């Protein structure tokens, strides 16, 4: 098997394409209970500092988006897979 070794600039087109899709339809697999469901069906807690996405099946935090003056951070929680 061969592969090409490049720098992170190779991600630009990939991320642009992935993030331009409807995020609510992304399938998230919970690593805690194994449930797989669209992000639209999760439970979301939000305030001015954070958005916490929880599994509707077991309430574990799948991922968190933190907003602060330095920018936004995506913190991966119990999510095992995101099927884009
Ligand atoms: Zn779960």
């Amino acid at each position: 098997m061969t592969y090409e070794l490049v720098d992170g600039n190779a991600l630009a087109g990939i991320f642009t394409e992935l993030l331009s899709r409807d995020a609510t339809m992304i399938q998230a697999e919970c690593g805690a209970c194994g449930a797989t469901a669209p992000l639209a069906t999760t439970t979301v807690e939000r305030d001015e500092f954070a958005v916490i996405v929880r599994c509707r099946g077991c309430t574990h935090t799948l991922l968190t988006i933190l907003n602060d003056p330095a920018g936004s951070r995506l913190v991966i929680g119990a999510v095992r897979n995101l099927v884009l």
Side-chain angles (χ1 to χ4, degrees), residues 4-79:
E4 182 182 16
L5 184 59
V6 297
D7 67 24
N9 287 309
L11 298 171
I14 295 168
F15 274 101
T16 298
E17 179 183 337
L18 291 177
L19 297 176
S20 66
R21 297 178 185 173
D22 179 2
T24 62
M25 298 310 296
I26 294 172
Q27 297 283 320
E29 179 184 3
C30 176
C33 73
T36 299
L39 284 177
T41 66
T42 60
T43 302
V44 176
E45 301 170 17
R46 66 181 180 183
D47 62 22
E48 64 185 290
F49 304 107
V51 176
I52 300 170
V53 181
R54 295 188 185 276
C55 173
R56 191 172 289 273
C58 71
T59 72
H60 272 80
T61 300
L62 296 172
L63 51 92
T64 303
I65 301 167
L66 299 172
N67 297 307
D68 59 39
S72 297
R73 289 183 287 149
L74 176 63
V75 180
I76 304 299
V79 70

